[in-house]
Amino acid sequence: MSFNSKVVIVTGASSGIGAATALLFAKEGADVALVAPNSTKLAAVAKQIEALGKTPLIIPADLANETEAGTVVSQTVNHFGKLDVLINNAGIEVQGSILNGNALEAYDKVMKLNVRVVIQLTTLAAPFLAKTKGNIVNVSSIASTLTSKYPTGLPYYVSKAALDYFTRCSALELASTGVRVNSVNPGPVDNEFVANNKLGDASVINKERAKIAALGFLAKSEEIADVILFLASEKARSVTGSSYVIDNGFLLKG
C-alpha cells in the first residue's frame, strides 16, 4: 500500500497510536505532518521518520486551543502543497461522574478535544481533501458502544459515541465530493494512554484488561496503525461511514 507523494496529517502524533501511525505512513512513502503539544516527544518521533529518509513537518499545537488548531491544515498545505489524509487521533480521558459533581467539567474538557477539534479539523481539511479525493480516519474506541463499568468513565464514553456518529454523518455529507470518512475503534491498547491520562498504574490496569479480552492479550499501537493505513488506502476505496473494531475480542465478553 504505497503512499508515495501523499500528504498525511496525524494528530496526537507524539506517542502511542499516533506515533506508530505517523511512522507507518512515512515507511509507506508519505509526507507526514506531526501534531501534538509536546515538542520534545514530537522531535523524537520526527527523528525516527528522518531515519527513513523522510522529513516530517512538526506542528507543536494544543488542539484544545481553537486558534492553534485552526492553523494545522493551513500549515500543512502551505508546506507540502496539498492534503490527502487526515488522521484525527488526538484524544484524552478525564474522569468525572454525576454524583461526584464533576461530570460537566470533565465532559467539557473531553468533548473539546475528542469531538470539537475533530469537527474543526474536518471542516478545514474538507476543501483540500475534495481536491485530492482524499479521506479521513478518526480514532474512536469500543467505548462508543458500551456503558462504562465505572461511573467516572461517563465523559469519555459519551465523547466516543459522539465521534462515531460524527464519522457517519460527515461520511454521508462528504461522499458527494469523493472524500471517505471512517473510524477505527480499538479496545484497550498496550501503550502510553493510561499513563498519559493519569488513570492509574498502567501495568496493573492493562493486565486486568488483558484478562477480559477473549484472546488474552492487548493490541499494540502498531496493530491499530495497520488498520488505519488500510482504511486510508485505495484498498478501502469502497469503505466509508464504517467503524472498524480491533479489540482482541474485548467486546465478545461484554
Side-chain angles (χ1 to χ4, degrees):
M1 287 185 283
S2 174
F3 280 82
N4 287 330
S5 80
K6 301 292 186 181
V7 176
V8 183
I9 293 174
V10 182
T11 69
S14 60
S15 65
I17 294 171
T21 300
L23 187 58
L24 183 57
F25 272 107
K27 285 179 179 177
E28 295 296 331
D31 290 311
V32 184
L34 309 173
V35 187
N38 190 312
S39 298
T40 302
K41 288 185 176 182
L42 281 180
V45 177
K47 189 173 182 180
Q48 294 180 68
I49 292 175
E50 288 165 358
L52 300 171
K54 305 294 292 185
T55 303
L57 172 64
I58 298 176
I59 305 178
D62 175 8
L63 294 179
N65 182 308
E66 184 175 352
T67 301
E68 291 187 31
T71 69
V72 168
V73 172
S74 60
Q75 285 190 66
T76 302
V77 174
N78 289 340
H79 185 81
F80 291 119
K82 62 170 185 168
L83 178 63
D84 296 281
V85 182
L86 170 62
I87 308 298
N88 285 310
N89 167 71
I92 57 170
E93 180 171 354
V94 180
Q95 298 189 329
S97 75
I98 297 167
L99 294 179
N100 285 346
N102 59 354
L104 191 59
E105 179 184 358
Y107 172 88
D108 285 343
K109 291 179 181 177
V110 170
M111 291 296 285
K112 176 174 277 190
L113 188 59
N114 292 10
V115 183
R116 192 181 193 282
V117 167
V118 173
I119 297 173
Q120 181 183 8
L121 292 180
T122 297
T123 302
L124 294 172
F128 299 102
L129 294 173
K131 290 179 182 178
T132 59
K133 303 305 177 189
N135 67 87
I136 299 169
V137 182
N138 298 322
V139 179
S140 184
S141 167
I142 61 169
S144 67
T145 66
L146 297 169
T147 51
S148 176
K149 180 179 178 183
Y150 305 101
T152 53
L154 180 150
Y156 180 77
Y157 281 60
V158 169
S159 75
K160 292 305 184 179
L163 180 56
D164 278 8
Y165 201 80
F166 176 72
T167 297
R168 294 191 293 273
C169 290
S170 57
L172 181 58
E173 180 177 354
L174 297 179
S176 62
T177 70
V179 175
R180 299 183 296 108
V181 187
N182 293 289
S183 74
V184 172
N185 295 56
V189 180
D190 186 8
N191 62 15
E192 303 92 332
F193 186 83
V194 171
N196 287 347
N197 288 276
K198 299 179 174 60
L199 300 176
D201 187 328
S203 62
V204 173
I205 291 174
N206 286 342
K207 191 173 293 185
E208 289 302 312
R209 288 174 169 175
K211 292 178 183 177
I212 300 173
L215 293 178
F217 62 91
L218 302 184
K220 301 289 188 181
S221 295
E222 291 75 13
E223 295 172 276
I224 312 303
D226 285 336
V227 179
I228 293 172
L229 188 82
F230 164 72
L231 287 173
S233 75
E234 280 302 304
K235 289 191 175 184
R237 72 184 192 92
S238 296
V239 181
T240 195
S242 294
S243 297
Y244 270 59
V245 170
I246 172 170
D247 71 343
N248 299 69
F250 202 87
L251 286 177
L252 295 177
K253 298 177 76 172

